[in-house]
Amino acid sequence: MAKKFIDIMDTTFRDGFQSVFGGRVLMDDFFPAVEAAKHAGITHFEFGGGARFQSLYFYLNEDAFTMMDRFREIVGPDANLQTLARGVNTVMLDTGSKDLIDLHAKMFKKHGTTTIRNFDALNDVENLKYSGERIVHHGLKHEVVVTMMDLPPGCHGAHDVAFYEKTLREILDSGIPYSSICFKDASGTSSPKKVHDTIAMARKLVPEGTHLRLHTHETAGVSVAAYMAALDAGIDGIDMAASPVSGGTSQPDILTMLHATKGMDYDLGGLEIDKILTYEKEVAACLEDYFMPPEATMVSPLIPFSPMPGGALTANTQMMRDNNILERFPDVIDAMREVVEKGGYGTSVTPVSQFYFQQALNNVMQGPWKAIAPGYGKMVLGYFGKTPVAPDPEVVRIASEKLGLEPTTEKVLDLTEADETKSLAHWTKKLEEENIEATDENIFIAAACGEKGITFLKGEAEVNVRKISEMQNEGSSNMGSGNYTVVVDGQKFSVQVAEGDADIQVTAVNGESASTSTPAVSGSDISIKALLPGNVWKIVANPGQSVAEGDVIMILESMKMEIDVPAPKGGVIKSINVATNDKVVEGQVVAVIG
């Protein structure tokens, strides 16, 4: 009897990069590995979308559409090139208007995409209807998704086989056009037994011949067992990655699965071990200079209790490294359990996983529920759709109070259509104001990436990639000389040390002398300090301006969040101690009010 053919999608160049390097891999560095993958016989790739859209503009100063075009040139016209989309969010963290959802499908088709895997983190099928229709309208294959995870112990009401059957029935009854169905577990926490029973349920429920897939991660250590369970239940396709961006927070390795299925009646994509060995050597050579975060190679037994997706885990630890707060990561993961329990059980996959992480970070850095991350707050209030179960009423009350929003049951698309800032006209005007050509690509880049997209289009973006050679060069310099930043009593100072100098030059970060950098703080004055490290995104108030208690003085950007800095009391702004785009550290005085 012929072996059952199992379609293999290689996730190395999208989810693999995202799960290990936070998406920060330059295209010219990895394209030789794409060529090697083609020669190894791989014809189905995940090559863009998801977080590997924004990350190119945020960290690499690269154009995602250019990357996609060049990828297509390498693999040829017949390869199945797949991207990841988040329903009404497309490749954004926020929701998009109908025009932006349509433009997403149009642009991704134009730039080489064959298939779009399309999910909603809340499993709100309403959020998949229009996005799925536009994907098919523009000539793309639509892979509709049911998102999975295991809930922390003691939690009930969603994420069991009955819940997935309900979601799948809603998809089938909705009339959403699709070419395949994927069960996607971004945190890798679903138990193999639940995976088996879910796939077996789906196999019976869907029309004969329907292509079913499973996507999972090794983060919790059960991915191979989950794939074997899915194969036994009748799955048609699975996702794998190539070393060194396999295992750990990523997908199981191709070679691992070829070994796991030896002697069984499965043909994994027609792949041959010798050719995959050659391909993986090329991947390793291409990435040998990239710093491999140790957490990317680890399996965590705690992840099922605080489900953090592999693709988000390293992206967040990289941002925490950038902001010098990585030592707080274990506390944040621990705090995620309560955030998930009280948030309505949305699946821990982008953007909800980022909402969970941001809220857990706030709870650790600022105190439990003292501040509400905007995304998390809007989710529990209903602005991203209906959560699988009702969120905790007290958290809903706090979110409503902190964000100044009432809970809603309106459809997400109706809300976005009423928001002018999410329209094509808004972003077209924004580009015109910046003297940037309003092409379809530029409009979508700006809408998807906001101010960072504008910065890229203006040619002002920077590259933030961790390479070993650059880190060694930095470390090999004379550590006694150079520029340093120190914080003393909440004030941030630049310290310049030159080898052989008798004196050390100390200046405030704004360039003034340390003794004159800020006015003296009297007994009635209050220093306002940054609660999180980040960048100054916008200064709202000016020195001499009268403000009321709670008025926003400035907005910081940290960990993909915009964080309001409010006035702790009514009074007059004595000083603003930072400038727009300045980096700030935790505890730094950013303003004084009297």
Side-chain angles (χ1 to χ4, degrees):
M1 185 177 72
K3 292 184 176 183
K4 179 180 178 179
F5 183 85
I6 304 297
D7 182 76
I8 300 303
M9 182 169 76
D10 183 350
T11 61
T12 300
F13 307 105
R14 210 293 302 175
D15 208 342
F17 286 172
Q18 181 62 33
S19 297
V20 175
F21 301 114
R24 306 186 198 187
V25 182
L26 297 161
M27 67 176 92
D28 285 336
D29 288 342
F30 74 80
F31 278 152
V34 177
E35 185 76 37
K38 181 181 72 172
H39 290 308
I42 295 172
T43 60
H44 187 181
F45 299 88
E46 188 180 38
F47 84 131
R52 269 286 292 177
F53 186 83
Q54 287 182 327
S55 65
L56 272 68
Y57 303 101
F58 286 8
Y59 305 116
L60 303 181
N61 192 23
E62 290 186 342
D63 180 15
F65 293 125
T66 298
M67 183 277 293
M68 292 162 68
D69 290 340
R70 292 181 61 188
F71 200 114
R72 171 59 77 184
E73 290 175 4
I74 293 171
V75 298
D78 298 327
N80 183 0
L81 296 188
Q82 188 159 320
T83 61
L84 187 66
R86 307 165 185 144
V88 292
N89 296 71
T90 62
V91 290
M92 301 179 281
L93 291 178
D94 200 357
T95 53
S97 65
K98 285 185 175 180
D99 284 344
L100 285 175
I101 292 170
D102 178 77
L103 186 59
H104 162 257
K106 178 182 177 182
M107 289 297 93
F108 276 56
K109 170 65 176 178
K110 177 180 177 181
H111 292 281
T113 305
T114 309
T115 304
I116 294 183
R117 175 178 288 172
N118 188 37
F119 71 90
D120 180 69
L122 302 182
N123 278 312
D124 186 340
V125 175
E126 191 65 39
N127 290 342
L128 296 171
K129 291 179 180 178
Y130 185 75
S131 54
E133 187 275 322
R134 299 322 292 169
I135 288 168
V136 173
H137 171 81
H138 286 286
L140 293 153
K141 294 181 180 179
H142 179 218
E143 185 164 283
V144 69
V145 175
V146 176
T147 58
M148 302 178 68
M149 71 174 184
D150 263 16
L151 292 173
C155 296
H156 305 283
H159 292 290
D160 52 19
V161 178
F163 174 73
Y164 299 137
E165 180 175 352
K166 173 178 173 291
T167 303
L168 181 56
R169 287 185 182 276
E170 289 179 4
I171 289 172
L172 297 174
D173 292 343
S174 71
I176 297 172
Y178 65 87
S179 58
S180 55
I181 299 173
C182 177
F183 291 85
K184 176 179 172 64
D185 184 348
S187 59
T189 54
S190 294
S191 67
K193 175 70 163 63
K194 187 176 77 172
V195 167
H196 178 277
D197 293 350
T198 299
I199 301 305
M201 171 275 296
R203 188 86 279 165
K204 295 177 182 177
L205 190 61
V206 300
E208 186 177 353
T210 300
H211 185 86
L212 297 179
R213 304 190 64 86
L214 178 68
H215 170 96
T216 192
H217 288 245
E218 179 60 8
T219 321
V222 295
S223 66
V224 174
Y227 275 163
M228 298 302 287
L231 288 169
D232 185 61
I235 207 73
D236 300 304
I238 56 177
D239 299 350
M240 299 185 293
S243 178
V245 293
S246 58
T249 52
S250 182
Q251 279 71 60
D253 191 85
I254 300 172
L255 291 171
T256 299
M257 285 306 302
L258 288 173
H259 180 69
T261 55
K262 278 183 180 178
M264 303 181 74
D265 291 328
Y266 303 112
D267 174 4
L268 301 190
L271 301 179
E272 300 174 21
I273 289 177
D274 288 345
K275 292 181 179 180
I276 298 300
L277 281 167
T278 300
Y279 161 44
E280 292 203 351
K281 287 179 182 178
E282 183 62 36
V283 178
C286 288
L287 301 175
E288 64 181 352
D289 196 26
Y290 280 80
F291 168 69
M292 179 77 71
E295 63 274 12
T297 64
M298 296 168 59
V299 167
S300 172
L302 298 179
I303 288 297
F305 303 94
S306 302
M308 168 56 69
L313 193 151
T314 51
N316 287 320
T317 56
Q318 291 285 52
M319 286 189 286
M320 294 184 83
R321 277 190 179 87
D322 292 342
N323 288 289
N324 298 313
I325 55 172
L326 185 60
E327 74 279 359
R328 306 304 299 272
F329 181 69
D331 298 331
V332 175
I333 288 296
D334 187 54
M336 269 191 67
R337 177 171 178 169
E338 181 185 20
V339 170
V340 173
E341 289 174 346
K342 295 186 174 182
Y345 300 166
T347 315
S348 193
V349 60
T350 307
V352 168
S353 57
Q354 196 64 22
F355 300 160
Y356 285 155
F357 179 84
Q358 290 168 344
Q359 187 57 52
L361 180 70
N362 278 350
N363 286 0
V364 167
M365 304 296 288
Q366 303 186 54
W369 309 106
K370 297 295 184 183
I372 295 293
Y376 184 85
K378 290 174 70 177
M379 178 185 71
V380 300
L381 292 170
Y383 287 84
F384 288 95
K386 184 179 180 181
T387 54
V389 301
D392 181 84
E394 179 62 13
V395 170
V396 172
R397 183 194 67 77
I398 296 171
S400 181
E401 179 183 293
K402 296 285 188 183
L403 300 183
L405 293 170
E406 292 297 319
T408 183
T409 56
E410 286 191 61
K411 293 181 179 179
V412 174
L413 275 181
D414 292 339
L415 293 169
T416 57
E417 287 298 287
D419 186 346
E420 190 275 333
T421 64
K422 296 179 179 180
S423 68
L424 289 185
H426 171 82
W427 290 105
T428 300
K429 181 180 178 182
K430 191 86 170 174
L431 291 178
E432 291 172 350
E433 291 172 351
E434 298 286 351
N435 294 316
I436 298 171
E437 185 181 4
T439 63
D440 283 347
E441 285 84 353
N442 288 353
I443 292 170
F444 190 79
I445 291 166
C449 302
E451 293 299 324
K452 290 184 178 180
I454 298 292
T455 299
F456 168 82
L457 293 171
K458 290 168 68 175
E460 299 173 359
E462 299 179 354
V463 176
N464 185 353
V465 175
R466 289 180 177 269
K467 290 195 173 184
I468 297 169
S469 59
E470 295 171 2
M471 296 164 71
Q472 289 173 339
N473 290 336
E474 291 170 2
S476 64
S477 63
N478 187 341
M479 295 303 292
S481 63
N483 295 322
Y484 301 88
T485 299
V486 297
V487 177
V488 181
D489 294 332
Q491 293 297 125
K492 185 180 180 184
F493 300 103
S494 173
V495 180
Q496 295 180 333
V497 182
E499 185 176 4
D501 281 357
D503 299 317
I504 296 175
Q505 181 68 34
V506 180
T507 61
V509 290
N510 60 7
E512 300 173 4
S513 67
S515 61
T516 62
S517 61
T518 59
V521 178
S522 70
S524 62
D525 293 345
I526 295 178
S527 295
I528 303 172
K529 300 179 180 181
L531 296 176
L532 289 171
N535 298 311
V536 179
W537 183 70
K538 187 176 183 180
I539 294 175
V540 179
N542 298 308
Q545 180 178 334
S546 294
V547 295
E549 180 179 346
D551 284 354
V552 176
I553 295 173
M554 67 182 66
I555 303 173
L556 305 181
E557 181 191 52
S558 179
M559 306 295 292
K560 293 187 178 180
M561 291 185 288
E562 292 178 11
I563 301 171
D564 291 343
V565 179
K569 69 170 187 175
V572 176
I573 301 297
K574 292 293 187 72
S575 67
I576 297 292
N577 299 11
V578 291
T580 302
N581 297 323
D582 277 359
K583 290 185 179 296
V584 298
V585 296
E586 180 188 357
Q588 179 181 339
V589 174
V590 296
V592 176
I593 187 172

